[in-house]
C-alpha cells in the first residue's frame, strides 16, 4: 500500500469516526456489530490499498455501509439504537437533561424510519455528508437521495408532532 492512500484513509477515519460508527449502528442496531463493521471496512480498505474512485469520504462511508449490511445479514437479531449516537456528550449536563425527552422522541422517530430513509438521515445529520457524498455512498441518484431525505424528515416531524399532540411532550 502506498503511504498517501494509507494516510488518506486514516485521516478520513479520524475526522469521521463518529459518523462512520453512527451509520454502522443505524444499520446493525448493535454497538458491537457496528464497531466490528467499521473496523472491518477500514482494515479491508487499508489491505486493498487502492486509491478511491470519486470522493474519498464517500468511498469510506460506502465501505462501512457495506460491512454493516453484511453484519446485519449475518446477525438477524435487531436491537434498539444506542443513545450514544444521538448524544455525543458535547452538551452541558443541565442542558442535556432539559432536552432528554426531545432526544428520545427524535431517536424513536429515526429508528422507525425504513432503512434507506434512516441511512439518508444518519449520513446527513450525524455524519455531516453532503447529498452528493450520500448519493455516492449509497450508489443512488442525487435526486433519489434528496427526496428520500425530505420524506424522512417529514415522517420524523409527523411522528414527533403526533406524540406531542397525544400528550407525550
Amino acid at each position: 500500500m502506498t503511504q498517501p492512500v494509507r494516510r488518506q484513509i486514516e485521516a478520513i477515519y479520524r475526522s469521521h469516526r463518529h459518523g462512520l460508527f453512527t451509520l454502522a449502528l443505524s444499520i446493525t442496531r448493535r454497538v458491537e456489530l457496528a464497531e466490528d463493521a467499521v473496523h472491518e471496512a477500514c482494515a479491508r480498505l487499508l489491505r486493498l490499498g487502492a486509491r478511491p474512485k470519486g470522493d474519498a469520504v464517500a468511498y469510506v462511508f460506502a465501505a462501512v455501509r457495506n460491512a454493516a449490511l453484511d453484519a446485519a445479514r449475518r446477525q438477524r437479531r435487531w436491537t434498539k439504537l444506542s443513545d450514544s449516537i444521538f448524544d455525543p456528550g458535547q452538551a452541558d449536563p443541565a442542558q442535556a437533561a432539559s432536552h432528554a425527552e426531545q432526544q428520545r422522541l427524535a431517536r424513536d422517530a429515526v429508528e422507525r424510519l425504513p432503512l434507506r430513509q434512516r441511512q439518508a438521515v444518519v449520513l446527513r445529520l450525524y455524519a455531516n455528508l453532503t447529498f452528493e457524498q450520500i448519493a455516492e455512498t449509497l450508489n443512488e441518484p442525487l435526486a433519489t437521495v434528496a427526496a428520500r431525505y425530505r420524506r424522512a424528515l417529514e415522517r420524523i416531524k409527523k411522528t414527533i408532532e403526533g406524540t406531542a399532540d397525544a400528550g407525550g411532550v
Side-chain angles (χ1 to χ4, degrees):
M1 156 167 316
T2 65
Q3 285 303 318
V5 172
R6 174 181 277 288
R7 280 194 293 272
Q8 182 180 32
I9 291 170
E10 289 171 349
I12 291 168
Y13 173 78
R14 280 192 304 278
S15 297
H16 296 280
R17 67 178 163 255
H18 184 73
L20 293 166
F21 173 76
T22 301
L23 172 62
L25 185 58
S26 76
I27 295 168
T28 64
R29 298 187 180 204
R30 293 194 50 201
V31 171
E32 62 276 4
L33 289 178
E35 289 170 345
D36 289 347
V38 172
H39 174 76
E40 179 184 322
C42 290
R44 186 180 319 139
L45 290 175
L46 289 171
R47 271 193 316 273
L48 291 174
R51 188 165 294 284
K53 293 180 179 141
D55 186 284
V57 173
Y59 180 77
V60 174
F61 271 93
V64 168
R65 175 182 176 263
N66 292 337
L69 288 169
D70 289 345
R73 283 186 202 109
R74 288 190 303 266
Q75 179 69 31
R76 295 293 181 200
R77 291 181 16 234
W78 291 64
T79 57
K80 287 191 148 241
L81 286 170
S82 166
D83 289 352
S84 65
I85 70 168
F86 295 97
D87 182 14
Q90 298 172 0
D92 159 29
Q95 184 182 15
S98 70
H99 295 294
E101 183 64 13
Q102 289 90 353
Q103 290 175 341
R104 184 191 64 77
L105 291 172
R107 182 179 57 251
D108 291 348
V110 170
E111 187 173 317
R112 287 188 197 121
L113 292 172
L115 178 61
R116 289 180 181 215
Q117 287 182 4
R118 190 169 62 242
Q119 288 175 358
V121 168
V122 166
L123 289 170
R124 181 71 188 118
L125 297 180
Y126 298 102
N128 295 317
L129 295 187
T130 65
F131 285 113
E132 291 81 7
Q133 290 173 318
I134 296 168
E136 192 170 328
T137 298
L138 301 177
N139 194 29
E140 294 181 352
L142 178 61
T144 300
V145 169
R148 189 175 291 141
Y149 177 77
R150 182 182 44 76
R151 284 192 305 271
L153 292 183
E154 289 169 1
R155 197 170 183 167
I156 291 168
K157 181 179 176 185
K158 285 181 184 177
T159 299
I160 291 173
E161 287 174 349
T163 304
D165 292 343
V169 176

